[in-house]
Amino acid sequence: MDLESVKRNLEKKEGTEIALSIKSMPSQVYDSLILYGLHIDLAEPGRLICSMKVPPRLLNTAKSLHGGAMASLVDLVGAAAIATVGPPSTGVAVEISVSYLDAAFVDDLSTKQIIGRGS
């Protein structure tokens, strides 16, 4: 792909149909887009186990779960795991590390344990 094609693919210009549709979205739509369909299998202080079938809306161009969507899930659920220990256990992720061991495809069931305790 040439550089101009890459640029056009990433930039969303004012006045285009996609730009108008994005501007009309409610605030915090991103969290809902990522989390819709997530099931909490176990919640304990500082620990969550959750599962989710991979939905088509979170696929990349290779038709597998987008790495950015997975990193967002880790961030959002990690924050929720921290909140399970109660105040003042809140905060912002300073660093997130995600290791992608294999691809996940539509309707694959993924179960993850998130530990919300840091130093």
Side-chain angles (χ1 to χ4, degrees):
M1 189 180 289
D2 65 273
L3 295 177
E4 281 305 310
S5 296
V6 170
K7 185 177 173 181
R8 275 192 311 277
N9 208 14
L10 291 174
E11 290 181 340
K12 305 304 176 203
K13 302 281 186 188
E14 289 291 324
T16 62
E17 186 177 333
I18 189 81
L20 295 172
S21 128
I22 289 170
K23 283 188 170 193
S24 69
M25 291 180 175
S27 65
Q28 297 181 334
V29 70
Y30 184 75
D31 292 2
S32 299
L33 176 73
I34 298 295
L35 293 173
Y36 181 77
L38 183 78
H39 179 74
I40 305 301
D41 300 312
L42 177 71
E44 297 175 340
R47 180 174 172 232
L48 292 174
I49 296 178
C50 27
S51 58
M52 178 181 201
K53 280 191 176 182
V54 176
R57 72 179 180 281
L58 299 182
L59 299 182
N60 58 23
T61 56
K63 306 280 190 244
S64 63
L65 179 62
H66 193 290
M70 178 52 74
S72 293
L73 277 165
V74 169
D75 184 42
L76 293 166
V77 177
I82 291 168
T84 64
V85 295
S89 296
T90 61
V92 175
V94 175
E95 182 177 302
I96 296 175
S97 177
V98 179
S99 297
Y100 301 98
L101 304 176
D102 201 354
F105 299 95
V106 169
D107 290 333
D108 282 354
L109 180 62
S110 179
T111 302
K112 302 294 176 234
Q113 172 176 258
I114 305 293
I115 309 269
R117 296 181 191 131
S119 53

